[in-house]
Amino acid sequence: MREFRRSRRRAVAGAVAAALAITAGPVGCDAPPGADRGPVKRPKPSPTRVWDRAPGSLAAVGDSITRGFDACSLFADCPEVSWATGTDTAVRSLALRLLGTAAGAPPGPEPPPAGRPGGGAAPPQNPPPAAAPRRAWNHARSGARMADLPAQMTAAADRGPELVTVMVGANDACRDTPAQMTPVAEFTESFTAAMRSLRRTAPKTHVYVSSVPDLKRLWSTGRGNPLGKQIWKLGICASMLGDADDLGPAAQERRALVHDRVVAYNRALRDVCAKDLRCRYDGDAVFDYRFTGEQLSPWDWFHPSRNGQSRLAEIAYRNITAARPPE
């Protein structure tokens, strides 16, 4: 009988200990379901990129390409044929394609099938030439390098544009020798500073960044023209175009250095742009475009001709109005 009572007491004690353990909860382990765990930390959602496919005003910054240099005459700007802000209806600048339509000009035709030369949607029908200039400003300067961009961006921001176009970098690679090319780190710092300059006074302005053209491809295309090669001897982009017919190892290495630097500049443009929620890079569209003799200036066989300016406008219009950014 005594043994039976001891066994019973041990059983009761064990049951009580088990109940206390459950009540107190496990030590050093997760709390049971329903227990108060405190605030739950959730991952922050990624910021949403913002893009306006139909801006109502634009300012252009950059270099001689955006100034229409050598498109109309030798060694002269011709801003009326600029791909960005020009008024020439034969070129159909980005400003005319975007702002002319916004100002009440008839909309353009439907985009053609894939494979259209130059890529992308056909431009709208010619809007009235006066429609764009009232809301388009060209702050580019022939000869400008990336170090000049912060000041241009400040001037552009003062206009309060809904879109700023950027095309700069060729002059950073086009120097007397490859050793004089702008270092990539310096190029990147200047572009970052330019974006900061814009954002100080224009936080909601959208920015479209064009890639630097493939200078080596321009050399390959233009060197077949005897007149063009004579003009090149005057010092146009000597790091790439100098001794145009020299195919020896040293000349090839020099051109390869310039080509690689342009590729690095484009990566910098892409990476800095990617950090800004209202910036869109062209996905190397200008760099990849295969300019022909028809698209090169008849004066220097290096800068874009009227036709080349029109192709640049077409590329920009396609990318700016696209629902998604270029890959």
Side-chain angles (χ1 to χ4, degrees):
M1 179 64 69
R2 255 183 227 166
E3 187 63 33
F4 172 77
R5 289 177 181 167
R6 281 197 297 271
S7 298
R8 187 176 179 184
R9 281 198 297 271
R10 284 197 297 268
V12 171
V16 171
L20 289 174
I22 292 174
T23 303
V27 178
C29 300
D30 291 340
D36 184 8
R37 299 171 183 237
V40 177
K41 292 184 178 180
R42 304 182 186 279
K44 293 182 179 179
S46 299
T48 302
R49 301 196 74 80
V50 181
W51 188 252
D52 183 357
R53 297 165 62 192
S57 59
L58 74 86
V61 297
D63 55 28
S64 56
I65 296 177
T66 302
R67 293 297 300 174
F69 184 81
D70 272 6
C72 304
S73 59
L74 181 61
F75 292 156
D77 288 350
C78 191
E80 60 266 30
V81 302
S82 166
W83 68 273
T85 60
T87 56
D88 189 319
T89 56
V91 171
R92 298 189 301 276
S93 70
L94 177 64
L96 290 182
R97 296 173 198 238
L98 287 174
L99 309 183
T101 299
E110 291 298 315
R116 168 188 171 89
Q125 298 171 14
N126 293 343
R134 292 194 301 267
R135 289 170 289 148
W137 305 276
N138 193 325
H139 293 283
R141 180 178 62 80
S142 291
R145 297 198 290 269
M146 182 57 83
D148 300 306
L149 201 66
Q152 290 187 19
M153 278 288 209
T154 298
D158 289 343
R159 301 283 189 176
E162 294 181 18
L163 174 70
V164 169
T165 64
V166 177
M167 183 179 286
V168 68
N171 289 321
D172 291 271
C174 283
R175 307 301 296 274
D176 290 339
T177 67
Q180 295 175 317
M181 294 187 295
T182 304
V184 176
E186 183 179 319
F187 184 93
T188 304
E189 290 170 5
S190 293
F191 186 37
T192 301
M195 293 296 292
R196 283 199 301 264
S197 297
L198 176 70
R199 291 297 175 228
R200 275 195 287 269
T201 53
K204 295 185 177 181
T205 293
H206 297 263
V207 182
Y208 174 73
V209 180
S210 295
S211 49
V212 182
D214 186 345
L215 303 180
K216 190 174 183 181
R217 181 176 291 154
L218 294 178
W219 160 77
S220 179
T221 301
R223 75 187 189 93
N225 183 274
L227 175 60
K229 286 189 293 186
Q230 291 302 313
I231 298 297
W232 290 358
K233 291 179 180 179
L234 298 178
I236 295 178
C237 198
S239 57
M240 175 60 73
L241 306 182
D243 298 319
D245 289 327
D246 186 353
L247 301 180
Q252 296 286 46
E253 181 180 0
R254 166 171 55 84
R255 296 184 193 109
L257 287 172
V258 177
H259 176 81
D260 291 346
R261 184 61 57 91
V262 169
V263 170
Y265 289 163
N266 284 336
R267 297 290 73 75
L269 293 172
R270 179 199 64 190
D271 294 346
V272 173
C273 183
K275 296 176 182 177
D276 189 292
L277 296 180
R278 297 175 185 268
C279 186
R280 177 174 285 193
Y281 178 62
D282 77 353
D284 286 350
V286 171
F287 178 83
D288 290 338
Y289 185 74
R290 294 184 173 275
F291 288 91
T292 67
E294 186 180 9
Q295 279 99 48
L296 297 182
S297 163
W299 305 101
D300 67 17
W301 280 77
F302 182 69
H303 288 87
S305 63
R306 279 183 167 89
N307 186 289
Q309 291 282 347
S310 185
R311 299 289 76 73
L312 291 174
E314 184 176 300
I315 291 170
Y317 179 75
R318 179 189 73 226
N319 288 330
I320 289 168
T321 59
R324 296 179 178 275
E327 295 295 332

